[in-house]
Amino acid sequence: MSLARHVDPDEIIEKLHGMDMKDAHRHHQSTKGGTSHITPYSTRYASKQEIPKFRIPQDGAPADAVHQMLKDELDLDGIPNLNLASFVGTYMEAHGRELMIENISKNMSDADEYPAMMQMHARCVSIIANLWGAQKGEKAIGSATTGSSEAIHLGGLAMKRRWQEKRMAEGKDTLKPNIIMGANAQVALEKFARYFEVEARILPVSEKSNYRLDPDLVKENIDENTIGVFAILGSTYTGHYEPVEEISKILDAYQEKTGVDIPIHVDAASGGFVAPFTKAQAGGPKWNFELPRVKSINTSGHKFGLVYAGVGWIIWRDESMLPKHLVFELHYLGGTEESYTLNFSRPGAQIIAQYYNLIHLGFKGYQQIMENCMTNARLLSKSLEATGWYTCISDVHRKKGVHSFSGITEAVFGHDDETSADYNAGLPVVAFRFSDEFKKEFPHLKQETVSNLMRAKQYIIPNYPLPPNEEKTEILRVVVRESMSFDLLDRLISDICATTQNLIESDKSDLSILLKGEDHSVEKQHSSLGTPRHGKGQDHGGKRPMAEGVHRAVC
């Protein structure tokens, strides 16, 4: 066997970086000061310098070299189709993608310059309003937004302004507006309250309320200063739909008793493109403009609307619901338009892609996709519970009206002709945790380790606590999107089972390293506080306990 000497890589790199250019020419076939090159990897960024990160370089670099270097760095990202944490779509058909690329330079603010695009925008508003039960005799009005966050802010702001106008007309003060939401609300709802100076009355959720807004608590927390109630059609934690009609009846009774009229805004970021198409609908109760108290609804076109990221929608049931002095009349580039948005310039390609999907897929196409998603969510849920290792907190796989797990014998598979109508309504989301029996048998195993081990297989499955009041329970969550094929689902189930089995068989000392996954990069230190884990905050890495500050789920 030949002898080998220790190699100090730092010493080698230091020598290479100190090498004179004329010496480098002996080893590289590059010329003319490193600008000309044979391949992207023969430029100065290959071995003599790192890519500039925080200051613009004095000299540029060849386009193909920069493209390749950035492409290589982006290879470190997760695979979008295996990002099972996000509701945001990662797939579009080729023709839809082509339309987006062909129109990627179009700006939604240039309405006069792109009239055809604006007509498609108007058609989308009309189609979505009709999907949501627009009523005869009312003139629905709406707009595209950059996403549901902007749409929620616009809906909330309209409610606040209507409340202010009514109070001022009655000679009452407008100093203490409040808004009702559940602790399961996505962060955008709390952002609205904080940014627009409205008291956020965040009501605790519980197992009793199916981890969603509790109607009984709504009844206890409304008053004359309540500008509205945010009801969520599809909780990001568990996929449950909130009982919009039940809340509406509570508000009806309160108005009859006190004369105070409190509206509802439905945050249907995900459910707005699921409930209208699945055969389960919203489970029976009404949730949309069929309820007079529902004044506005938002959704994300880039979630189950099946468009790439960058488009949301907000619709008001009637133009009278949108206070006039919130609407700007813009005289811009030779044209005049009315605008009610928080952004000005924003991409137009996503609006075109949304219209493409609505026309190409039609009602039956969307229905088939959403039913497929629900079927796959049920299959994943039942498979996980059949192992005995996991219990699902989401319940779209349970028969309609059944909301709790009654044991492993329940995990049976349905008939070929079953649809979502046979089961509880909700989003195609699987929220699951270790079963009580598993935790008793293996108390040393951390659920977070499953998430880390699955990440090693390139799946992104978050593990995080439920909202305050239930934060002692941690969940793993999978969002079943259109791109979850049956083959991928089969592999996912197999990999979760194999990972759990390996975890059971692992030595305790081998497990500790799997809980250390912090990002120590310079960029991370500059872009966030990088606070250490302490076991109290969101995903155990927050600065404050879950009950304080923003603590919303991945969306």
Side-chain angles (χ1 to χ4, degrees), residues 404-421:
S404 59
F405 182 48
S406 58
I408 193 170
T409 55
E410 178 192 307
V412 294
F413 298 92
H415 305 291
D416 291 339
D417 60 347
E418 70 180 10
T419 70
S420 61

PDB file of all heavy atoms in Angstrom, residues 404-421:
ATOM      1  N   SER A 404     -63.075  12.800  15.017  1.00  0.00           N
ATOM      2  CA  SER A 404     -62.031  12.261  15.893  1.00  0.00           C
ATOM      3  C   SER A 404     -61.657  10.855  15.446  1.00  0.00           C
ATOM      4  O   SER A 404     -62.449  10.143  14.828  1.00  0.00           O
ATOM      5  CB  SER A 404     -62.491  12.254  17.348  1.00  0.00           C
ATOM      6  OG  SER A 404     -63.662  11.470  17.505  1.00  0.00           O
ATOM      7  N   PHE A 405     -60.440  10.460  15.770  1.00  0.00           N
ATOM      8  CA  PHE A 405     -59.892   9.160  15.400  1.00  0.00           C
ATOM      9  C   PHE A 405     -60.328   8.132  16.425  1.00  0.00           C
ATOM     10  O   PHE A 405     -60.116   8.297  17.629  1.00  0.00           O
ATOM     11  CB  PHE A 405     -58.362   9.268  15.354  1.00  0.00           C
ATOM     12  CG  PHE A 405     -57.674   8.004  14.925  1.00  0.00           C
ATOM     13  CD1 PHE A 405     -58.092   7.302  13.810  1.00  0.00           C
ATOM     14  CD2 PHE A 405     -56.569   7.533  15.624  1.00  0.00           C
ATOM     15  CE1 PHE A 405     -57.443   6.147  13.403  1.00  0.00           C
ATOM     16  CE2 PHE A 405     -55.907   6.375  15.236  1.00  0.00           C
ATOM     17  CZ  PHE A 405     -56.349   5.680  14.117  1.00  0.00           C
ATOM     18  N   SER A 406     -60.942   7.056  15.958  1.00  0.00           N
ATOM     19  CA  SER A 406     -61.464   6.050  16.883  1.00  0.00           C
ATOM     20  C   SER A 406     -60.610   4.796  16.930  1.00  0.00           C
ATOM     21  O   SER A 406     -61.043   3.765  17.433  1.00  0.00           O
ATOM     22  CB  SER A 406     -62.906   5.677  16.493  1.00  0.00           C
ATOM     23  OG  SER A 406     -62.951   5.200  15.156  1.00  0.00           O
ATOM     24  N   GLY A 407     -59.410   4.867  16.383  1.00  0.00           N
ATOM     25  CA  GLY A 407     -58.508   3.721  16.471  1.00  0.00           C
ATOM     26  C   GLY A 407     -58.091   3.208  15.116  1.00  0.00           C
ATOM     27  O   GLY A 407     -58.647   3.574  14.079  1.00  0.00           O
ATOM     28  N   ILE A 408     -57.097   2.337  15.129  1.00  0.00           N
ATOM     29  CA  ILE A 408     -56.485   1.860  13.885  1.00  0.00           C
ATOM     30  C   ILE A 408     -57.470   1.098  12.995  1.00  0.00           C
ATOM     31  O   ILE A 408     -57.327   1.054  11.782  1.00  0.00           O
ATOM     32  CB  ILE A 408     -55.260   0.987  14.220  1.00  0.00           C
ATOM     33  CG1 ILE A 408     -54.422   0.745  12.958  1.00  0.00           C
ATOM     34  CG2 ILE A 408     -55.650  -0.316  14.865  1.00  0.00           C
ATOM     35  CD1 ILE A 408     -53.078   0.114  13.234  1.00  0.00           C
ATOM     36  N   THR A 409     -58.490   0.510  13.600  1.00  0.00           N
ATOM     37  CA  THR A 409     -59.467  -0.227  12.797  1.00  0.00           C
ATOM     38  C   THR A 409     -60.268   0.698  11.897  1.00  0.00           C
ATOM     39  O   THR A 409     -60.896   0.246  10.944  1.00  0.00           O
ATOM     40  CB  THR A 409     -60.438  -0.992  13.716  1.00  0.00           C
ATOM     41  OG1 THR A 409     -61.031  -0.060  14.641  1.00  0.00           O
ATOM     42  CG2 THR A 409     -59.695  -2.070  14.499  1.00  0.00           C
ATOM     43  N   GLU A 410     -60.247   2.008  12.213  1.00  0.00           N
ATOM     44  CA  GLU A 410     -60.997   2.959  11.393  1.00  0.00           C
ATOM     45  C   GLU A 410     -60.311   3.212  10.048  1.00  0.00           C
ATOM     46  O   GLU A 410     -60.938   3.621   9.085  1.00  0.00           O
ATOM     47  CB  GLU A 410     -61.114   4.289  12.151  1.00  0.00           C
ATOM     48  CG  GLU A 410     -61.834   5.389  11.389  1.00  0.00           C
ATOM     49  CD  GLU A 410     -61.665   6.736  12.063  1.00  0.00           C
ATOM     50  OE1 GLU A 410     -61.962   6.840  13.263  1.00  0.00           O
ATOM     51  OE2 GLU A 410     -61.219   7.682  11.388  1.00  0.00           O
ATOM     52  N   ALA A 411     -59.003   2.960   9.992  1.00  0.00           N
ATOM     53  CA  ALA A 411     -58.228   3.328   8.809  1.00  0.00           C
ATOM     54  C   ALA A 411     -58.472   2.346   7.675  1.00  0.00           C
ATOM     55  O   ALA A 411     -57.646   1.516   7.339  1.00  0.00           O
ATOM     56  CB  ALA A 411     -56.747   3.372   9.152  1.00  0.00           C
ATOM     57  N   VAL A 412     -59.667   2.402   7.104  1.00  0.00           N
ATOM     58  CA  VAL A 412     -60.031   1.548   5.975  1.00  0.00           C
ATOM     59  C   VAL A 412     -60.193   2.411   4.740  1.00  0.00           C
ATOM     60  O   VAL A 412     -60.393   3.613   4.824  1.00  0.00           O
ATOM     61  CB  VAL A 412     -61.347   0.786   6.248  1.00  0.00           C
ATOM     62  CG1 VAL A 412     -61.150  -0.193   7.393  1.00  0.00           C
ATOM     63  CG2 VAL A 412     -62.473   1.750   6.579  1.00  0.00           C
ATOM     64  N   PHE A 413     -60.064   1.790   3.596  1.00  0.00           N
ATOM     65  CA  PHE A 413     -60.103   2.540   2.344  1.00  0.00           C
ATOM     66  C   PHE A 413     -61.475   2.427   1.695  1.00  0.00           C
ATOM     67  O   PHE A 413     -62.166   1.415   1.821  1.00  0.00           O
ATOM     68  CB  PHE A 413     -58.993   2.035   1.421  1.00  0.00           C
ATOM     69  CG  PHE A 413     -57.642   2.262   2.013  1.00  0.00           C
ATOM     70  CD1 PHE A 413     -57.033   1.278   2.777  1.00  0.00           C
ATOM     71  CD2 PHE A 413     -57.001   3.472   1.876  1.00  0.00           C
ATOM     72  CE1 PHE A 413     -55.803   1.495   3.375  1.00  0.00           C
ATOM     73  CE2 PHE A 413     -55.771   3.700   2.464  1.00  0.00           C
ATOM     74  CZ  PHE A 413     -55.163   2.712   3.214  1.00  0.00           C
ATOM     75  N   GLY A 414     -61.860   3.480   1.013  1.00  0.00           N
ATOM     76  CA  GLY A 414     -63.217   3.604   0.518  1.00  0.00           C
ATOM     77  C   GLY A 414     -63.458   2.903  -0.802  1.00  0.00           C
ATOM     78  O   GLY A 414     -62.625   2.168  -1.324  1.00  0.00           O
ATOM     79  N   HIS A 415     -64.630   3.155  -1.359  1.00  0.00           N
ATOM     80  CA  HIS A 415     -65.033   2.553  -2.628  1.00  0.00           C
ATOM     81  C   HIS A 415     -64.517   3.396  -3.791  1.00  0.00           C
ATOM     82  O   HIS A 415     -64.189   4.563  -3.647  1.00  0.00           O
ATOM     83  CB  HIS A 415     -66.555   2.433  -2.688  1.00  0.00           C
ATOM     84  CG  HIS A 415     -67.145   1.681  -1.533  1.00  0.00           C
ATOM     85  ND1 HIS A 415     -66.959   0.330  -1.362  1.00  0.00           N
ATOM     86  CD2 HIS A 415     -67.896   2.100  -0.480  1.00  0.00           C
ATOM     87  CE1 HIS A 415     -67.588  -0.063  -0.259  1.00  0.00           C
ATOM     88  NE2 HIS A 415     -68.159   0.989   0.293  1.00  0.00           N
ATOM     89  N   ASP A 416     -64.469   2.790  -4.965  1.00  0.00           N
ATOM     90  CA  ASP A 416     -63.950   3.474  -6.145  1.00  0.00           C
ATOM     91  C   ASP A 416     -64.782   4.686  -6.533  1.00  0.00           C
ATOM     92  O   ASP A 416     -64.269   5.644  -7.097  1.00  0.00           O
ATOM     93  CB  ASP A 416     -63.884   2.504  -7.336  1.00  0.00           C
ATOM     94  CG  ASP A 416     -62.807   1.443  -7.145  1.00  0.00           C
ATOM     95  OD1 ASP A 416     -61.888   1.680  -6.335  1.00  0.00           O
ATOM     96  OD2 ASP A 416     -62.901   0.380  -7.798  1.00  0.00           O
ATOM     97  N   ASP A 417     -66.082   4.631  -6.245  1.00  0.00           N
ATOM     98  CA  ASP A 417     -66.963   5.704  -6.694  1.00  0.00           C
ATOM     99  C   ASP A 417     -67.182   6.781  -5.639  1.00  0.00           C
ATOM    100  O   ASP A 417     -68.017   7.665  -5.805  1.00  0.00           O
ATOM    101  CB  ASP A 417     -68.315   5.142  -7.141  1.00  0.00           C
ATOM    102  CG  ASP A 417     -69.041   4.399  -6.011  1.00  0.00           C
ATOM    103  OD1 ASP A 417     -68.386   4.110  -4.970  1.00  0.00           O
ATOM    104  OD2 ASP A 417     -70.236   4.106  -6.172  1.00  0.00           O
ATOM    105  N   GLU A 418     -66.431   6.746  -4.531  1.00  0.00           N
ATOM    106  CA  GLU A 418     -66.614   7.758  -3.503  1.00  0.00           C
ATOM    107  C   GLU A 418     -66.044   9.095  -3.956  1.00  0.00           C
ATOM    108  O   GLU A 418     -65.153   9.171  -4.812  1.00  0.00           O
ATOM    109  CB  GLU A 418     -65.945   7.322  -2.191  1.00  0.00           C
ATOM    110  CG  GLU A 418     -64.439   7.314  -2.242  1.00  0.00           C
ATOM    111  CD  GLU A 418     -63.828   6.872  -0.929  1.00  0.00           C
ATOM    112  OE1 GLU A 418     -64.573   6.400  -0.043  1.00  0.00           O
ATOM    113  OE2 GLU A 418     -62.603   6.989  -0.791  1.00  0.00           O
ATOM    114  N   THR A 419     -66.569  10.184  -3.399  1.00  0.00           N
ATOM    115  CA  THR A 419     -66.092  11.527  -3.692  1.00  0.00           C
ATOM    116  C   THR A 419     -65.889  12.278  -2.381  1.00  0.00           C
ATOM    117  O   THR A 419     -66.177  11.754  -1.298  1.00  0.00           O
ATOM    118  CB  THR A 419     -67.092  12.309  -4.567  1.00  0.00           C
ATOM    119  OG1 THR A 419     -68.258  12.616  -3.772  1.00  0.00           O
ATOM    120  CG2 THR A 419     -67.495  11.524  -5.794  1.00  0.00           C
ATOM    121  N   SER A 420     -65.443  13.511  -2.491  1.00  0.00           N
ATOM    122  CA  SER A 420     -65.240  14.322  -1.289  1.00  0.00           C
ATOM    123  C   SER A 420     -66.546  14.557  -0.537  1.00  0.00           C
ATOM    124  O   SER A 420     -66.528  14.849   0.661  1.00  0.00           O
ATOM    125  CB  SER A 420     -64.608  15.666  -1.670  1.00  0.00           C
ATOM    126  OG  SER A 420     -65.456  16.395  -2.551  1.00  0.00           O
ATOM    127  N   ALA A 421     -67.691  14.414  -1.222  1.00  0.00           N
ATOM    128  CA  ALA A 421     -68.989  14.640  -0.582  1.00  0.00           C
ATOM    129  C   ALA A 421     -69.268  13.605   0.511  1.00  0.00           C
ATOM    130  O   ALA A 421     -70.103  13.837   1.390  1.00  0.00           O
ATOM    131  CB  ALA A 421     -70.103  14.622  -1.617  1.00  0.00           C
TER     132      ALA A 421
END
